[in-house]
Amino acid sequence: MDFNDALDQAVAFSLNNLPHVQEDIYLIRDLQGKIRVLLSRERSNTSPLFAGVQRLTQDISGSLDFYTYPEPDIVIYRDRLRNHLDFLNERSAREMASDGTYYVYLHDRLLIGGEWDAAYTHQASTTPLRFTLFSMKGGVGRSTTAMVLAKHLAVKGKRVLVFDLDLESPGVGATLLGNELPAYGIVDWFVEDAVGNAGQIIGSMQAESPLQEGLSGFISVVPAFGADTEDYLSKLGRSYLERGPQGYKPWPERLKEMVAANERHYEDTNGCKPDIILFDSRTGLHDSSAALVLAMGANTFMFAVDAEQTWRAYRFLFQHWMNHPDIRDFYDKLWIIGSMIPESDSTDHLISLRDHSYTLFADTFYQSPAVTGQPRFTPTSSEDDSGNHYPREITWNRGLMAFEPLANWPDRAVPTAYEQFLGWFDRAFLTGNEEEADP
C-alpha cells in the first residue's frame, strides 16, 4: 500500500457502498495523505443505512494501513463541522466515480495545488474581456507580452486594466508605472480585507501608466505593491490566507472580490468599464495561478518554449484536469503561446513546437468525452491553426532584452517579435472574424 494505492482503494470501496449509504461520499485526503469519509449526518444504529456506513468504515480501516485513521475517526459528518469543510460540495471537489445515482468526490487538503481541482461560479457578463498570462517557468516573455499587449490595445483606443498578480516576483505594475505608483497595491488589499478594512484603500490602488501618453486608449494598473506599501514580505506572507473579515473564505473568492472592487472603482472614476483586463499570473502550479486560470472566466495564454520540461509540466496539469467538472467550459479558453522562437532556422523549431503542443491536447483534452461531445468541438490536427493547441508565435528578439518600456520603447523589435501574436489576438478577440481581419 502506498499513496497512490490508498486513493484507488478508497474510491473502489466508496463506489461499492454507494447503494448502501445512499448519498454522495466525499473522500477527504489530508496534508499527510490520510483519507477519511465525509457524510451528511450520522445514522442511528436502527437506521437501515447504518450497516452501509459500518461496512464502508471497516473496508477502509482494514485496507488503507498508514493512509487512514483509527476506525472510530474515519467517518465525519457535516452537521458537526465548524470549519471550512462545511463549504465542500460537488463544485469544489473532484468527481472520482459514480454508480449513476450517487457520486464519489475527492477533496485534497493541500498546502498548494488544491485549487486546480476546484470549480467556480464565473461572472455571467462577457465584458470586460479577461485574459490571464500564465507560464510554467519564468523567462519566457510572459510579463513582456502583458506590457506589449497593453500598449497595442491602447493604440487601438481600448481601456485596459492590468493586475500584477505575480506577487512573489512583481514587475509588470512597477514597470508600467515607474514613479507613478498608487499608494497601495494588491498585497495591501488582502491584508486589509482580512480585518474588514479593504474599503478604505480601494480608491488608492490604481494609477494610469505613462505608456498611454499620446495614445487614444488608456492603461490603468493595479500593482502588487504601492508607494505606501511597507514590510512587503510580512504582507505577502498573509496575502494567501483563506480568511475574510467574517471568517473562512476561499482565496479565489477573495481574489474575485478584489478584482470586482477594482472594476467598480474604475467605473466610478471613469464613467465606464474597462474594455480589457489583463492578469499577469505567478509562474508554476501555485493556487493563485489556478484561481486566475479557472475562477475568473478568462482566456488563458499558456506560454510554452519547446523543451521537454515545459511539456511534461503541462501534461501533469492537463491530465489532472481530465476529470474536472468544468472541463467542457474552460478547455477552449486555453491557448498555447509559442514563445522564444528563434529568429533564424525557425522552421524545424516551429514544426516541433506544433507537434508537441498538439500531442499534449490529443492525449488529454481531445480524449475527453466532455470535450469531444461539445457541439463546438471539431476534429483537429497539428496543422489546424484554428485549434487551441496551435501555438501562437512570439519570436525571440535581442532588442527586447532588458525591456524598459517607459525609458525606451523598442519600436523596431516589438513588431518583429509580436506581429504573428498580435495579428492573431486582434482576429480572435477584437474582430470576431479571422478571415476579414488584417494580418
Side-chain angles (χ1 to χ4, degrees):
M1 178 65 59
D2 61 17
F3 185 88
N4 297 327
D5 295 333
L7 180 59
D8 292 342
Q9 288 282 348
V11 171
F13 291 141
S14 299
L15 180 61
N16 290 338
N17 282 286
L18 282 175
H20 309 294
V21 176
Q22 293 189 19
E23 67 168 274
D24 294 342
I25 293 174
Y26 288 82
L27 299 175
I28 312 298
R29 184 162 60 177
D30 67 13
L31 294 176
Q32 295 174 285
K34 292 186 176 183
I35 296 171
R36 65 201 328 173
V37 172
L38 174 67
L39 297 175
S40 60
R41 64 187 182 281
E42 189 170 6
R43 275 81 168 178
S44 70
N45 56 14
T46 60
S47 168
L49 302 180
F50 179 75
V53 177
Q54 274 195 315
R55 185 166 69 179
L56 174 59
T57 302
Q58 291 166 0
D59 287 344
I60 290 177
S61 175
S63 298
L64 266 61
D65 298 331
F66 301 105
Y67 288 97
T68 191
Y69 288 81
E71 189 170 317
D73 300 322
I74 289 176
V75 179
I76 55 178
Y77 300 95
R78 286 185 184 274
D79 57 359
R80 297 182 180 182
L81 291 177
R82 295 295 182 269
N83 59 34
H84 81 270
L85 290 180
D86 196 29
F87 290 80
L88 188 59
N89 56 47
E90 71 277 3
R91 300 286 299 168
S92 60
R94 178 155 50 118
E95 180 185 324
M96 303 299 292
S98 174
D99 66 356
T101 303
Y102 301 106
Y103 293 84
V104 179
Y105 295 100
L106 171 67
H107 175 59
D108 254 343
R109 299 185 66 183
L110 307 176
L111 288 175
I112 62 170
E115 298 302 339
W116 295 103
D117 282 335
Y120 306 100
T121 301
H122 299 148
Q123 293 91 337
S125 174
T126 57
T127 57
L129 286 172
R130 295 177 174 86
F131 298 91
T132 294
L133 288 85
F134 170 77
S135 62
M136 281 293 187
K137 61 187 295 292
V140 296
R142 188 196 71 244
S143 296
T144 298
T145 301
M147 292 182 274
V148 169
L149 185 55
K151 183 174 182 180
H152 173 76
L153 291 166
V155 167
K156 290 179 170 292
K158 302 298 183 182
R159 295 178 177 270
V160 185
L161 181 58
V162 181
F163 287 83
D164 185 357
L165 278 154
D166 188 356
L167 302 184
E168 280 70 27
S169 184
V172 167
T175 305
L176 282 175
L177 293 174
N179 295 324
E180 304 300 323
L181 287 168
Y184 301 105
I186 291 170
V187 296
D188 301 293
W189 187 92
F190 280 109
V191 170
E192 299 298 337
D193 175 67
V195 296
N197 194 44
Q200 299 298 312
I201 69 168
I202 195 66
S204 302
M205 289 181 62
Q206 298 177 27
E208 293 187 349
S209 170
L211 195 61
Q212 72 182 28
E213 185 176 347
L215 306 182
S216 56
F218 302 89
I219 302 171
S220 297
V221 183
V222 183
F225 59 88
D228 292 346
T229 299
E230 297 179 3
D231 204 357
Y232 187 82
L233 289 179
S234 294
K235 291 183 176 181
L236 177 63
R238 292 170 170 82
S239 293
Y240 298 116
L241 288 175
E242 295 201 314
R243 185 173 184 83
Q246 305 304 318
Y248 171 77
K249 178 171 287 188
W251 192 85
E253 297 303 318
R254 299 186 69 205
L255 170 68
K256 289 199 289 187
E257 287 187 2
M258 185 274 293
V259 171
N262 273 282
E263 287 184 21
R264 289 193 298 269
H265 175 70
Y266 185 101
E267 186 171 7
D268 291 343
T269 302
N270 298 284
C272 61
K273 294 180 179 180
D275 300 307
I276 307 283
I277 291 180
L278 303 179
F279 300 112
D280 190 39
S281 168
R282 176 176 173 168
T283 295
L285 294 174
H286 193 269
D287 282 352
S288 61
S289 300
L292 290 171
V293 172
L294 298 178
M296 303 309 301
N299 284 279
T300 298
F301 297 156
M302 309 189 86
F303 284 71
V305 295
D306 192 33
E308 178 59 30
Q309 61 182 352
T310 297
W311 300 120
R312 185 183 295 115
Y314 275 129
R315 184 175 293 272
F316 286 147
L317 181 56
F318 278 40
Q319 288 175 334
H320 189 77
W321 272 335
M322 288 292 286
N323 295 314
H324 194 286
D326 281 348
I327 185 174
R328 63 178 61 87
D329 297 321
F330 69 77
Y331 84 92
D332 61 349
K333 292 185 177 182
L334 305 176
W335 306 91
I336 296 294
I337 307 301
S339 61
M340 312 297 285
I341 294 173
E343 293 179 287
S344 60
D345 301 322
S346 61
T347 301
D348 289 343
H349 185 97
L350 283 171
I351 292 173
S352 177
L353 180 71
R354 291 168 185 170
D355 287 346
H356 283 124
S357 184
Y358 176 73
T359 300
L360 170 68
F361 276 74
D363 290 348
T364 55
F365 288 174
Y366 296 166
Q367 297 292 323
S368 170
V371 171
T372 59
Q374 294 301 301
R376 61 182 180 270
F377 179 82
T378 56
T380 185
S381 70
S382 62
E383 299 301 317
D384 182 0
D385 63 3
S386 67
N388 295 59
H389 66 271
Y390 193 86
R392 316 299 163 170
E393 303 167 20
I394 299 175
T395 304
W396 182 88
N397 189 285
R398 187 178 300 276
L400 292 174
M401 297 178 66
F403 186 60
E404 294 289 346
L406 299 185
N408 184 21
W409 184 263
D411 289 310
R412 298 177 64 181
V414 168
T416 300
Y418 282 92
E419 179 181 15
Q420 295 288 336
F421 170 79
L422 294 176
W424 164 75
F425 182 93
D426 292 348
R427 295 189 299 269
F429 302 108
L430 299 187
T431 69
N433 188 328
E434 294 197 21
E435 284 76 18
E436 295 181 3
D438 293 330

